[in-house]
Amino acid sequence: MKIALVIPVYNEQESLPRLISLLANLCQKSGYEFQWIFVNDGSTDSSTEILLKSAISDNRIRIIQFTRNFGHQAAVTAGLDYACADAVIVMDADLQDPPELIWEMINKFQEGFDIVSPQRLSRIGESRFKLWTASAFYRLMTTLVDQRMQPQVSDFRLYGKVAVYGMRQFREHHRFLRGMAAWLGLKEAVIPFHRAPRLAGKTKYNTRKMLKFAWTAISSFSVLPLKCATVLGVFVILLGVTYFGYAFYMQFGTAGDVPGWTFLACLQIILSGLTLLSLGVMGDYIGRIYEESKGRPLYLIRNLVNLEPVDLPRSIVLNEHNLPQDLLGYGIHRSEACSNG
Ligand code: UDP
Ligand code: MG
């Protein structure tokens, strides 16, 4: 049986040597045929050199080299696009996802599950703020957005080949892979584990990136924020009508005056705020439609090591060997183009 490990890498020079030697030991006498697909997501440290050097001596190491940093979700997508195996396991490069858990995952896959998702029972070494926001995020996602999503399951996951094929059908730009995996509706097993701290280096998900990711997750799987604007609008209208009734009663039903401008000023500010907020939410969705309509690639690959280009929509290899002859000759005589090539 063939197993592919997909490992997104962004500036992980401290962790990579340890990870590679650990994987080499782990996969030595397993009886499975392994390939490790490292997706180098535009690293600017020496990760690239470490990977290239390792790939020369070990042909299980495959490298997808992006032209720049396209983000973790794009890197995992490329790995899933290029993996050619019965099962694909996605894991972090920083050893926060324990490699020894892969045997349990493979066993579950062999029992007939299409997806195996390790679930974090604890997350050692992460800040209180990260734990709190992560827990709020999962609660929101599972209750409001998609109930099929498992809480505390990250992108560390095994996809059987049916699931991989399913995942390859999602070609949208704003990606939330955990939601997509749940959306497939395939048979999923959950296995608990304790998440270790990072081996070295810092998390690449700072607060800004985390919030952006959370918003992508919500907006790519739900139109709930748009509906919220409607509900809020109805609520405010009801409030207005109630107050109008009260003012009417005060003016004509009693001898009193309608108390005035402070309330109106507050109302004006609140309503302007709500209107701008709703416009902002709508604008964000429209922006996403705009971005999708451009149909840009999900990632651009500069180099492939021990891998062949695949033919999938929005997946482009941008190097000299992969340019079609016809395109190279664009604008000049065809025979000239061929003789040049
Ligand atoms: N990563 C990536 N591109 C990015 C950010 C992160 O490929 O733009 C990789 C990173 O090298 C690591 C994995 O994605 O292997 C998860 O990132 P990180 O460990 O920083 O996230 P955390 O575990 O803190 O949520
Ligand atoms: Mg990590």
Side-chain angles (χ1 to χ4, degrees):
M1 191 164 72
K2 282 188 186 170
I3 308 284
L5 297 188
V6 166
I7 306 163
V9 175
Y10 180 49
N11 294 346
E12 300 283 5
Q13 61 181 13
E14 297 95 347
S15 311
L16 276 178
R18 175 87 195 280
L19 174 72
I20 292 171
S21 72
L22 225 138
L23 288 179
N25 279 338
L26 193 74
C27 303
Q28 215 168 26
K29 341 179 234 321
S30 63
Y32 299 112
E33 196 181 317
F34 274 98
Q35 51 179 273
W36 312 326
I37 303 180
F38 289 91
V39 187
N40 189 1
D41 186 14
S43 297
T44 49
D45 64 357
S46 59
S47 300
T48 311
E49 289 74 45
I50 297 173
L51 287 175
L52 288 173
K53 225 164 120 191
S54 314
I56 293 171
S57 54
D58 192 337
N59 70 355
R60 287 173 300 184
I61 296 184
R62 321 275 158 101
I63 306 172
I64 301 173
Q65 177 89 33
F66 281 180
T67 56
R68 63 164 170 88
N69 178 255
F70 280 89
H72 173 240
Q73 300 287 291
V76 175
T77 302
L80 288 173
D81 289 348
Y82 273 80
C84 174
D86 298 291
V88 179
I89 299 172
V90 176
M91 63 193 296
D92 279 8
D94 56 12
L95 288 169
Q96 280 196 291
D97 304 328
E100 54 287 356
L101 208 66
I102 66 174
W103 306 127
E104 207 179 323
M105 294 163 83
I106 294 170
N107 284 344
K108 282 278 175 209
F109 168 64
Q110 286 178 320
E111 281 171 29
F113 290 95
D114 297 302
I115 293 178
V116 184
S117 306
Q119 188 173 43
R120 296 174 288 208
L121 287 181
S122 66
R123 299 169 69 168
I124 308 152
E126 302 209 32
S127 72
R128 235 169 226 235
F129 177 72
K130 182 149 185 170
L131 294 182
W132 181 80
T133 44
S135 131
F137 170 71
Y138 283 110
R139 219 168 312 131
L140 189 75
M141 292 304 292
T142 45
T143 51
L144 294 181
V145 177
D146 194 328
Q147 288 174 351
R148 285 166 295 212
M149 256 190 71
Q150 300 287 345
Q152 293 301 337
V153 168
S154 67
D155 286 310
F156 179 31
R157 177 174 270 137
L158 178 147
Y159 299 87
K161 58 184 169 193
V162 173
V164 172
Y165 183 71
M167 291 297 283
R168 285 181 188 163
Q169 309 312 310
F170 295 84
R171 305 313 289 174
E172 68 233 45
H173 218 275
H174 295 278
R175 307 176 73 76
F176 178 55
L177 296 167
R178 295 164 216 186
M180 294 174 184
W183 196 89
L184 289 174
L186 294 172
K187 211 169 151 203
E188 181 175 8
V190 173
I191 49 178
F193 79 109
H194 292 277
R195 195 177 207 220
R198 246 181 176 274
L199 181 70
K202 272 205 246 158
T203 175
K204 310 298 180 300
Y205 273 99
N206 55 27
T207 310
R208 191 183 62 82
K209 266 196 177 179
M210 250 164 55
L211 288 176
K212 196 170 157 218
F213 182 58
W215 177 247
T216 298
I218 293 169
S219 60
S220 60
F221 271 84
S222 157
V223 287
L224 195 80
L226 288 175
K227 288 185 186 154
C228 281
T230 316
V231 172
L232 220 62
V234 171
F235 179 69
V236 171
I237 289 170
L238 284 180
L239 267 183
V241 169
T242 314
Y243 186 73
F244 180 75
Y246 166 72
F248 195 81
Y249 169 74
M250 288 296 281
Q251 187 71 34
F252 299 108
T254 69
D257 270 346
V258 183
W261 66 270
T262 314
F263 179 79
L264 283 180
C266 292
L267 202 66
Q268 177 69 30
I269 293 166
I270 292 172
L271 283 183
S272 311
L274 284 179
T275 313
L276 284 177
L277 187 80
S278 323
L279 271 180
V281 171
M282 256 189 274
D284 195 88
Y285 276 86
I286 294 171
R288 279 160 202 269
I289 298 170
Y290 165 65
E291 278 178 22
E292 287 300 337
S293 72
K294 286 190 281 194
R296 287 189 180 172
L298 301 177
Y299 50 79
L300 291 173
I301 296 171
R302 189 72 180 104
N303 255 326
L304 287 168
V305 178
N306 296 334
L307 282 170
E308 289 301 316
V310 294
D311 189 14
L312 273 170
R314 301 177 91 172
S315 163
I316 310 281
V317 181
L318 206 62
N319 67 23
E320 295 75 15
H321 313 295
N322 204 50
L323 294 182
Q325 281 298 319
D326 289 0
L327 258 191
L328 274 179
Y330 185 75
I332 44 173
H333 195 267
R334 198 185 165 86
S335 59
E336 204 182 327
C338 291
S339 63
N340 282 350

